């Protein structure tokens, strides 16, 4: 179980919601992007992008929509797309 202090610390990370927004916006504008594609497009680290994608998946804001072979790594990667008309966006509540 995660302690309340850990959760509080997590949400106090500077720019966390801005990073989530950058990843979401990138996927929304370019459906079927992989985490590697998002990292390249945004200039964010792949680890940071993967963490933001996991949060967005868990929040139901994006979904896995397929697989493809990454043209740089040659590995099979998941592709993501936004979920249309998602009613709740956690980072929007914080920045409002």
């Amino acid at each position: 179980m995660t302690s309340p202090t850990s959760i509080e610390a997590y949400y106090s990370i500077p720019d966390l919601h801005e990073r989530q927004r950058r990843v979401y916006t990138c996927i929304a504008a370019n459906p079927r992007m992989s985490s590697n594609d998002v990292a390249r497009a945004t200039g964010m680290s792949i680890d940071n992008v993967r963490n933001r994608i996991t949060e967005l998946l868990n929040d139901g804001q994006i979904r896995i929509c397929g697989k493809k072979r990454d043209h740089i790594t040659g590995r099979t990667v998941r592709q993501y797309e936004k979920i249309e008309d998602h009613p709740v966006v956690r980072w929007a509540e914080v920045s409002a």
Side-chain angles (χ1 to χ4, degrees):
M1 178 168 197
T2 307
S3 74
T5 306
S6 296
I7 293 170
E8 191 175 308
Y10 171 79
Y11 286 111
S12 70
I13 297 171
D15 300 324
L16 172 67
H17 303 292
E18 177 57 31
R19 288 181 261 168
Q20 257 187 359
R21 186 186 340 266
R22 285 172 57 194
V23 171
Y24 178 83
T25 302
C26 190
I27 291 171
N30 306 287
R32 307 191 72 76
M33 288 190 91
S34 70
S35 56
N36 291 342
D37 295 333
V38 174
R40 291 181 199 118
T42 61
M44 296 168 62
S45 75
I46 188 63
D47 291 332
N48 199 323
V49 168
R50 286 185 181 140
N51 289 337
R52 303 299 73 84
I53 285 176
T54 298
E55 293 164 0
L56 293 168
L57 284 167
N58 291 341
D59 285 348
Q61 296 178 47
I62 63 171
R63 66 176 160 232
I64 298 167
C65 63
K67 293 181 181 180
K68 69 176 182 176
R69 185 159 308 275
D70 185 88
H71 69 281
I72 294 178
T73 66
R75 294 183 176 180
T76 301
V77 294
R78 293 177 179 163
Q79 296 173 294
Y80 303 96
E81 66 184 3
K82 74 175 185 167
I83 295 177
E84 295 297 324
D85 301 321
H86 185 272
V88 178
V89 178
R90 185 176 68 211
W91 42 259
E93 295 170 0
V94 172
S95 59

